Coordinates of all heavy atoms in Angstrom, one line a residue:
M1 N 0.6 10.6 -3.1 CA 0.4 11.9 -2.5 C 1.5 12.2 -1.6 O 2.2 11.4 -1.0 CB -0.9 11.8 -1.6 CG -2.2 11.6 -2.4 SD -3.6 11.9 -1.3 CE -4.6 12.6 -2.5
V2 N 1.7 13.5 -1.4 CA 2.8 14.0 -0.5 C 2.6 13.6 0.9 O 3.5 13.5 1.7 CB 2.9 15.5 -0.7 CG1 3.9 16.1 0.2 CG2 3.1 15.9 -2.1
A3 N 1.4 13.3 1.3 CA 1.1 13.0 2.7 C 1.7 11.7 3.2 O 1.9 11.5 4.4 CB -0.4 12.9 2.9
V4 N 2.1 10.8 2.3 CA 2.7 9.6 2.7 C 4.2 9.8 2.7 O 4.8 10.1 1.7 CB 2.3 8.4 1.8 CG1 3.0 7.2 2.2 CG2 0.8 8.3 1.7
I5 N 4.8 9.6 3.8 CA 6.3 9.8 4.0 C 6.9 8.6 4.6 O 6.4 8.0 5.5 CB 6.5 11.0 5.0 CG1 5.9 12.3 4.4 CG2 8.0 11.2 5.2 CD1 5.8 13.4 5.4
F6 N 8.0 8.1 3.9 CA 8.8 7.0 4.5 C 10.0 7.5 5.1 O 10.8 8.2 4.4 CB 9.1 6.0 3.4 CG 9.7 4.8 3.9 CD1 9.0 3.8 4.7 CD2 11.1 4.5 3.7 CE1 9.7 2.7 5.2 CE2 11.7 3.4 4.2 CZ 11.0 2.5 5.0
N7 N 10.2 7.2 6.3 CA 11.4 7.6 7.0 C 12.4 6.4 7.1 O 12.2 5.5 7.9 CB 11.1 8.1 8.4 CG 12.3 8.6 9.2 OD1 13.4 8.2 9.0 ND2 12.0 9.6 10.1
E8 N 13.4 6.4 6.3 CA 14.3 5.3 6.2 C 15.1 5.1 7.5 O 15.4 4.0 7.8 CB 15.2 5.5 5.0 CG 14.5 5.4 3.7 CD 15.4 5.5 2.5 OE1 16.4 4.8 2.5 OE2 15.2 6.3 1.6
T9 N 15.4 6.2 8.2 CA 16.1 6.0 9.4 C 15.3 5.2 10.5 O 15.8 4.4 11.1 CB 16.5 7.4 10.0 OG1 17.1 8.2 9.0 CG2 17.3 7.3 11.2
L10 N 14.1 5.6 10.6 CA 13.2 4.9 11.6 C 12.5 3.7 11.1 O 11.9 2.9 11.8 CB 12.2 5.9 12.2 CG 12.9 7.1 12.9 CD1 11.8 8.1 13.4 CD2 13.7 6.7 14.1
G11 N 12.4 3.6 9.7 CA 11.6 2.6 9.1 C 10.1 2.7 9.4 O 9.4 1.7 9.5
T12 N 9.7 3.9 9.5 CA 8.2 4.1 9.8 C 7.6 4.9 8.6 O 8.2 5.7 8.0 CB 8.1 4.9 11.1 OG1 8.8 6.2 11.0 CG2 8.6 4.1 12.3
Q13 N 6.3 4.6 8.4 CA 5.6 5.3 7.4 C 4.5 6.1 8.1 O 3.8 5.6 8.9 CB 5.0 4.3 6.4 CG 4.4 4.9 5.2 CD 4.0 3.9 4.2 OE1 3.9 2.7 4.5 NE2 3.8 4.3 3.0
T14 N 4.3 7.3 7.7 CA 3.2 8.1 8.2 C 2.3 8.6 7.1 O 2.7 8.8 6.0 CB 3.8 9.4 9.0 OG1 4.5 10.2 8.0 CG2 4.7 9.0 10.1
I15 N 1.1 8.8 7.5 CA 0.1 9.4 6.6 C -0.6 10.5 7.4 O -1.2 10.2 8.4 CB -1.0 8.3 6.1 CG1 -0.3 7.2 5.3 CG2 -2.1 9.0 5.3 CD1 -1.2 6.1 4.9
C16 N -0.5 11.7 6.8 CA -1.1 12.9 7.5 C -0.8 13.0 8.9 O -1.6 13.2 9.8 CB -2.7 12.8 7.3 SG -3.2 12.7 5.6
N17 N 0.5 12.9 9.2 CA 1.1 13.0 10.6 C 0.8 11.9 11.5 O 1.0 12.0 12.7 CB 0.7 14.3 11.2 CG 1.1 15.5 10.5 OD1 2.1 15.5 9.7 ND2 0.5 16.7 10.6
V18 N 0.3 10.8 11.0 CA 0.0 9.6 11.9 C 0.7 8.4 11.4 O 0.7 8.2 10.2 CB -1.5 9.3 11.9 CG1 -1.8 8.2 12.8 CG2 -2.3 10.6 12.4
L19 N 1.3 7.6 12.3 CA 1.9 6.4 11.8 C 0.9 5.5 11.2 O -0.2 5.3 11.7 CB 2.6 5.7 13.0 CG 3.8 6.3 13.6 CD1 4.2 5.5 14.9 CD2 5.0 6.2 12.7
L20 N 1.3 4.9 10.1 CA 0.4 4.0 9.4 C -0.1 2.9 10.3 O -1.2 2.5 10.3 CB 1.0 3.4 8.1 CG 0.2 2.5 7.3 CD1 -1.1 3.1 6.8 CD2 1.1 2.0 6.1
S21 N 0.8 2.4 11.1 CA 0.5 1.3 12.0 C -0.6 1.7 13.0 O -1.3 0.9 13.5 CB 1.8 0.8 12.8 OG 2.3 1.8 13.5
C22 N -0.6 3.0 13.4 CA -1.7 3.4 14.3 C -3.0 3.6 13.5 O -4.1 3.3 14.1 CB -1.3 4.8 14.9 SG 0.1 4.6 16.0
L23 N -3.0 4.1 12.3 CA -4.2 4.2 11.5 C -4.9 2.9 11.3 O -6.1 2.9 11.1 CB -3.9 4.9 10.2 CG -3.8 6.5 10.2 CD1 -3.5 7.0 8.9 CD2 -5.1 7.1 10.8
I24 N -4.1 1.8 11.2 CA -4.7 0.5 11.0 C -5.8 0.2 12.1 O -6.7 -0.5 11.8 CB -3.6 -0.6 11.1 CG1 -2.5 -0.3 10.0 CG2 -4.1 -2.0 11.0 CD1 -2.6 -0.9 8.7
A25 N -5.7 0.8 13.2 CA -6.7 0.6 14.3 C -8.0 1.1 13.9 O -9.1 0.7 14.4 CB -6.2 1.3 15.6
C26 N -8.1 2.0 12.9 CA -9.3 2.6 12.5 C -10.0 1.9 11.3 O -11.1 2.1 11.0 CB -9.1 4.1 12.1 SG -8.7 5.1 13.4
K27 N -9.2 1.0 10.6 CA -9.7 0.3 9.4 C -11.0 -0.4 9.7 O -11.9 -0.3 8.9 CB -8.7 -0.6 8.8 CG -9.2 -1.2 7.5 CD -8.2 -2.1 6.8 CE -8.8 -2.7 5.6 NZ -7.9 -3.6 4.9
P28 N -11.1 -1.3 10.7 CA -12.4 -2.0 10.9 C -13.6 -1.1 11.0 O -14.7 -1.4 10.5 CB -12.2 -2.8 12.2 CG -10.7 -2.9 12.4 CD -10.2 -1.6 11.8
V29 N -13.4 0.1 11.6 CA -14.6 1.0 11.7 C -15.0 1.6 10.4 O -16.2 2.0 10.3 CB -14.1 2.2 12.7 CG1 -15.2 3.2 12.9 CG2 -13.6 1.7 14.0
A30 N -14.2 1.5 9.4 CA -14.5 2.1 8.1 C -14.7 1.0 7.0 O -14.6 1.2 5.8 CB -13.5 3.1 7.6
T31 N -14.8 -0.3 7.5 CA -15.0 -1.4 6.6 C -16.4 -2.0 6.6 O -16.8 -2.5 7.7 CB -13.9 -2.5 6.9 OG1 -12.6 -1.9 6.9 CG2 -13.9 -3.6 5.9
P32 N -17.1 -1.9 5.5 CA -18.5 -2.5 5.5 C -18.4 -4.0 5.6 O -17.4 -4.6 5.3 CB -19.1 -2.0 4.2 CG -18.0 -1.4 3.4 CD -16.8 -1.3 4.3
P33 N -19.5 -4.7 5.9 CA -20.8 -4.2 6.0 C -21.2 -3.8 7.4 O -22.2 -3.0 7.6 CB -21.7 -5.3 5.4 CG -21.0 -6.5 5.9 CD -19.5 -6.2 5.8
N34 N -20.6 -4.3 8.4 CA -21.0 -4.1 9.8 C -19.9 -3.6 10.6 O -19.3 -4.3 11.4 CB -21.6 -5.3 10.4 CG -22.9 -5.8 9.7 OD1 -23.8 -5.0 9.4 ND2 -22.9 -7.1 9.4
P35 N -19.5 -2.3 10.5 CA -18.3 -1.8 11.2 C -18.6 -1.8 12.7 O -19.7 -1.4 13.1 CB -18.1 -0.5 10.6 CG -19.4 0.0 10.1 CD -20.1 -1.3 9.7
P36 N -17.6 -2.2 13.5 CA -17.7 -2.1 15.0 C -17.5 -0.6 15.4 O -17.1 0.2 14.6 CB -16.5 -2.9 15.5 CG -15.5 -2.8 14.4 CD -16.3 -2.7 13.1
P37 N -17.8 -0.3 16.7 CA -17.6 1.0 17.2 C -16.1 1.3 17.2 O -15.3 0.4 17.3 CB -18.1 1.0 18.6 CG -19.0 -0.3 18.7 CD -18.5 -1.2 17.6
P38 N -15.7 2.5 17.1 CA -14.2 2.9 17.1 C -13.6 2.6 18.4 O -14.3 2.7 19.5 CB -14.2 4.4 16.8 CG -15.6 4.8 16.7 CD -16.5 3.7 16.9
T39 N -12.4 2.2 18.4 CA -11.6 1.9 19.6 C -10.9 3.2 20.1 O -10.7 4.1 19.4 CB -10.6 0.8 19.4 OG1 -9.6 1.3 18.4 CG2 -11.3 -0.4 18.8
A40 N -10.4 3.1 21.4 CA -9.6 4.1 21.9 C -8.3 4.3 21.1 O -7.8 5.4 21.0 CB -9.2 3.8 23.4
N41 N -7.7 3.2 20.6 CA -6.5 3.3 19.8 C -6.8 4.1 18.5 O -5.9 4.9 18.1 CB -6.0 1.9 19.4 CG -5.4 1.2 20.6 OD1 -5.0 1.8 21.6 ND2 -5.3 -0.1 20.5
C42 N -7.9 3.9 17.9 CA -8.3 4.7 16.7 C -8.4 6.2 17.1 O -7.9 7.0 16.4 CB -9.6 4.1 16.2 SG -10.2 5.0 14.7
C43 N -9.1 6.5 18.2 CA -9.2 7.8 18.6 C -7.9 8.5 18.8 O -7.7 9.6 18.4 CB -10.1 7.9 19.9 SG -10.4 9.6 20.4
S44 N -7.0 7.8 19.5 CA -5.7 8.3 19.8 C -4.9 8.6 18.5 O -4.3 9.7 18.4 CB -4.9 7.3 20.6 OG -3.6 7.8 20.9
A45 N -5.0 7.7 17.5 CA -4.3 8.0 16.2 C -4.9 9.2 15.5 O -4.1 10.0 15.1 CB -4.5 6.7 15.4
L46 N -6.2 9.3 15.5 CA -6.8 10.4 14.8 C -6.6 11.8 15.5 O -6.6 12.8 14.9 CB -8.3 10.2 14.6 CG -8.7 9.1 13.5 CD1 -10.2 9.0 13.4 CD2 -8.0 9.4 12.2
S47 N -6.4 11.7 16.8 CA -6.3 13.0 17.5 C -5.0 13.7 17.1 O -4.8 14.9 17.3 CB -6.3 12.8 19.0 OG -5.1 12.0 19.4
Q48 N -4.0 12.9 16.5 CA -2.7 13.5 16.1 C -2.7 13.8 14.6 O -1.8 14.4 14.1 CB -1.6 12.5 16.3 CG -1.5 12.0 17.8 CD -0.6 10.8 17.8 OE1 0.4 10.7 17.2 NE2 -1.0 9.8 18.7
A49 N -3.8 13.5 13.9 CA -3.8 13.6 12.4 C -4.1 15.0 11.9 O -4.7 15.8 12.6 CB -4.9 12.6 11.9
D50 N -3.6 15.2 10.8 CA -3.9 16.4 10.0 C -5.2 16.1 9.3 O -5.2 15.4 8.3 CB -2.8 16.7 9.0 CG -3.0 17.9 8.1 OD1 -4.2 18.3 7.9 OD2 -2.1 18.4 7.5
M51 N -6.3 16.6 9.8 CA -7.6 16.2 9.3 C -7.8 16.7 7.8 O -8.5 16.0 7.0 CB -8.7 16.7 10.2 CG -8.7 16.1 11.5 SD -8.7 14.3 11.4 CE -9.8 13.9 12.6
G52 N -7.3 17.9 7.5 CA -7.4 18.3 6.1 C -6.7 17.4 5.2 O -7.2 17.1 4.1
C53 N -5.6 16.9 5.6 CA -4.8 15.9 4.8 C -5.6 14.6 4.6 O -5.8 14.1 3.5 CB -3.5 15.6 5.4 SG -2.5 14.3 4.7
L54 N -6.1 14.1 5.7 CA -6.9 12.9 5.7 C -8.2 13.1 4.8 O -8.5 12.2 4.0 CB -7.4 12.4 7.1 CG -6.3 11.8 7.9 CD1 -6.9 11.5 9.3 CD2 -5.8 10.5 7.3
C55 N -8.7 14.2 4.8 CA -9.9 14.5 4.0 C -9.6 14.4 2.5 O -10.4 14.1 1.7 CB -10.4 15.9 4.4 SG -12.0 16.3 3.5
S56 N -8.3 14.7 2.2 CA -7.9 14.7 0.8 C -8.0 13.3 0.2 O -8.1 13.1 -1.0 CB -6.5 15.2 0.6 OG -5.6 14.4 1.1
Y57 N -8.1 12.3 1.0 CA -8.2 10.9 0.5 C -9.7 10.5 0.3 O -10.0 9.5 -0.3 CB -7.7 9.9 1.6 CG -6.2 10.0 1.6 CD1 -5.5 10.8 2.5 CD2 -5.4 9.2 0.7 CE1 -4.1 10.8 2.5 CE2 -4.0 9.2 0.8 CZ -3.4 10.0 1.7 OH -2.0 10.0 1.7
K58 N -10.6 11.4 0.7 CA -12.1 11.0 0.6 C -12.5 10.6 -0.8 O -13.2 9.6 -1.0 CB -12.9 12.2 1.0 CG -14.4 11.9 1.0 CD -15.2 13.1 1.5 CE -16.7 12.9 1.4 NZ -17.4 14.0 1.9
N59 N -12.1 11.3 -1.8 CA -12.5 11.0 -3.2 C -11.4 10.3 -4.0 O -11.6 10.2 -5.2 CB -12.9 12.3 -3.9 CG -14.1 12.9 -3.2 OD1 -15.1 12.2 -2.9 ND2 -14.1 14.2 -3.1
S60 N -10.4 9.8 -3.4 CA -9.4 9.0 -4.1 C -9.8 7.6 -4.3 O -10.7 7.1 -3.6 CB -8.1 9.1 -3.4 OG -8.0 8.3 -2.3
N61 N -9.1 6.9 -5.1 CA -9.3 5.4 -5.3 C -8.5 4.6 -4.2 O -8.7 3.4 -4.2 CB -8.9 5.0 -6.7 CG -9.8 5.6 -7.7 OD1 -11.0 5.8 -7.5 ND2 -9.3 5.9 -8.9
I62 N -7.7 5.3 -3.4 CA -6.9 4.5 -2.5 C -7.8 3.8 -1.4 O -7.5 2.6 -1.1 CB -5.9 5.5 -1.8 CG1 -4.9 6.0 -2.9 CG2 -5.2 4.8 -0.7 CD1 -4.0 7.1 -2.4
L63 N -8.7 4.5 -0.8 CA -9.5 3.9 0.3 C -10.3 2.7 -0.2 O -10.2 1.6 0.4 CB -10.4 4.9 0.9 CG -9.7 6.1 1.7 CD1 -10.7 7.0 2.2 CD2 -8.8 5.5 2.7
P64 N -11.0 2.8 -1.3 CA -11.7 1.6 -1.8 C -10.8 0.5 -2.1 O -11.2 -0.7 -1.9 CB -12.5 2.1 -3.0 CG -12.7 3.6 -2.8 CD -11.4 4.0 -2.1
S65 N -9.6 0.8 -2.6 CA -8.7 -0.3 -3.0 C -8.2 -1.0 -1.7 O -7.8 -2.2 -1.8 CB -7.5 0.2 -3.8 OG -6.6 1.0 -2.9
L66 N -8.3 -0.4 -0.6 CA -8.0 -1.0 0.7 C -9.2 -1.6 1.5 O -9.1 -1.9 2.6 CB -7.3 0.0 1.6 CG -6.0 0.6 1.1 CD1 -5.5 1.8 2.0 CD2 -4.9 -0.5 1.0
E67 N -10.3 -1.6 0.7 CA -11.6 -2.1 1.3 C -12.1 -1.2 2.4 O -12.7 -1.7 3.3 CB -11.5 -3.6 1.7 CG -11.1 -4.5 0.6 CD -11.0 -5.9 1.1 OE1 -11.1 -6.2 2.3 OE2 -10.7 -6.8 0.2
I68 N -11.8 0.1 2.3 CA -12.3 1.1 3.2 C -13.4 1.9 2.6 O -13.2 2.4 1.4 CB -11.1 2.0 3.7 CG1 -10.1 1.1 4.5 CG2 -11.7 3.2 4.5 CD1 -8.9 1.9 4.9
D69 N -14.5 2.1 3.2 CA -15.6 2.9 2.7 C -15.3 4.4 3.1 O -15.2 4.7 4.2 CB -16.9 2.5 3.3 CG -18.1 3.3 2.8 OD1 -18.0 4.5 2.8 OD2 -19.1 2.7 2.5
P70 N -15.0 5.2 2.1 CA -14.7 6.6 2.4 C -15.7 7.3 3.2 O -15.4 8.1 4.1 CB -14.6 7.3 1.0 CG -14.3 6.2 0.0 CD -15.0 5.0 0.6
N71 N -17.0 7.1 3.0 CA -18.1 7.7 3.8 C -18.0 7.3 5.3 O -18.1 8.1 6.1 CB -19.4 7.4 3.2 CG -19.6 8.1 1.8 OD1 -19.2 9.2 1.6 ND2 -20.2 7.4 0.9
L72 N -17.8 6.0 5.5 CA -17.6 5.6 6.9 C -16.3 6.2 7.5 O -16.4 6.6 8.7 CB -17.5 4.0 6.9 CG -18.8 3.3 6.6 CD1 -18.5 1.8 6.6 CD2 -19.9 3.6 7.7
A73 N -15.3 6.2 6.7 CA -14.0 6.8 7.3 C -14.2 8.3 7.7 O -13.6 8.7 8.7 CB -12.9 6.7 6.2
M74 N -14.9 9.0 6.9 CA -15.1 10.4 7.2 C -16.0 10.7 8.4 O -16.0 11.8 9.0 CB -15.7 11.2 6.0 CG -14.7 11.2 4.7 SD -13.1 11.9 5.1 CE -12.1 10.6 4.5
Q75 N -16.7 9.7 8.8 CA -17.6 9.8 10.0 C -16.9 9.5 11.3 O -17.3 9.9 12.4 CB -18.8 8.8 9.9 CG -19.7 9.1 8.8 CD -20.8 8.0 8.6 OE1 -21.0 7.2 9.4 NE2 -21.4 8.0 7.4
I76 N -15.7 8.9 11.2 CA -15.0 8.5 12.4 C -14.6 9.7 13.3 O -14.9 9.6 14.5 CB -13.7 7.7 12.1 CG1 -14.2 6.4 11.4 CG2 -12.9 7.4 13.4 CD1 -13.0 5.5 10.9
P77 N -14.0 10.8 12.8 CA -13.7 11.9 13.7 C -14.9 12.4 14.5 O -14.7 12.8 15.7 CB -13.1 13.0 12.8 CG -12.7 12.2 11.6 CD -13.6 11.0 11.4
T78 N -16.0 12.5 14.0 CA -17.2 13.0 14.7 C -17.6 12.1 15.9 O -18.1 12.5 16.9 CB -18.4 13.2 13.8 OG1 -18.8 12.0 13.2 CG2 -18.1 14.2 12.7
K79 N -17.3 10.8 15.8 CA -17.6 9.9 16.8 C -16.7 10.1 18.1 O -17.0 9.7 19.2 CB -17.4 8.4 16.3 CG -18.4 8.1 15.3 CD -18.3 6.7 14.8 CE -19.3 6.4 13.7 NZ -19.3 5.1 13.2
F80 N -15.6 10.8 17.9 CA -14.7 11.2 19.0 C -14.7 12.7 19.3 O -13.9 13.2 20.0 CB -13.3 10.8 18.6 CG -13.1 9.3 18.5 CD1 -12.7 8.8 17.2 CD2 -13.2 8.4 19.5 CE1 -12.5 7.4 17.1 CE2 -13.0 7.1 19.4 CZ -12.7 6.6 18.1
N81 N -15.7 13.4 18.6 CA -15.7 14.9 18.8 C -14.4 15.5 18.4 O -14.0 16.5 19.0 CB -16.1 15.2 20.2 CG -17.5 14.8 20.6 OD1 -18.4 14.8 19.7 ND2 -17.7 14.2 21.7
L82 N -13.8 15.0 17.4 CA -12.5 15.6 16.9 C -12.9 16.6 15.8 O -13.9 16.4 15.1 CB -11.6 14.6 16.3 CG -11.1 13.5 17.3 CD1 -10.3 12.4 16.6 CD2 -10.2 14.2 18.3
P83 N -12.1 17.7 15.7 CA -12.4 18.7 14.6 C -12.2 18.1 13.2 O -11.3 17.3 13.1 CB -11.5 19.8 14.9 CG -10.4 19.2 15.7 CD -11.0 18.1 16.5
Q84 N -13.0 18.4 12.3 CA -12.9 18.0 10.9 C -12.5 19.2 10.1 O -12.7 20.3 10.4 CB -14.2 17.4 10.4 CG -14.5 16.0 10.9 CD -15.7 15.4 10.2 OE1 -16.7 16.0 10.2 NE2 -15.4 14.3 9.5
S85 N -11.9 18.9 8.9 CA -11.6 19.9 8.0 C -12.9 20.5 7.4 O -13.8 19.8 7.1 CB -10.8 19.3 6.8 OG -10.6 20.3 5.8
A86 N -12.9 21.8 7.3 CA -14.1 22.5 6.8 C -14.4 22.1 5.4 O -15.6 22.1 5.0 CB -13.9 24.0 6.9
S87 N -13.4 21.7 4.7 CA -13.6 21.4 3.2 C -14.0 19.9 3.0 O -14.2 19.5 1.9 CB -12.3 21.7 2.5 OG -11.3 20.8 2.9
C88 N -14.1 19.1 4.1 CA -14.3 17.7 4.0 C -15.8 17.4 3.9 O -16.7 17.8 4.5 CB -13.7 17.0 5.2 SG -13.6 15.2 4.9

């Protein structure tokens, strides 16, 4: 997907305007069977995200391949009262 960008100069990878290393803070919250409550680090990462872009991953095979439940992942923004994409 176009949303994943590798910046060779900085050696950083972003997904939907968020550093991949920051999004990792949200993975436990979207991993079954007993996800913990979201952390402040997760909230901070998502507050910078392009939610429409993140929503585009909902029906992809990428999340399940990373052991992430797409339905749990899509619930995270509401736990922080963050706006979601209308199409999500």
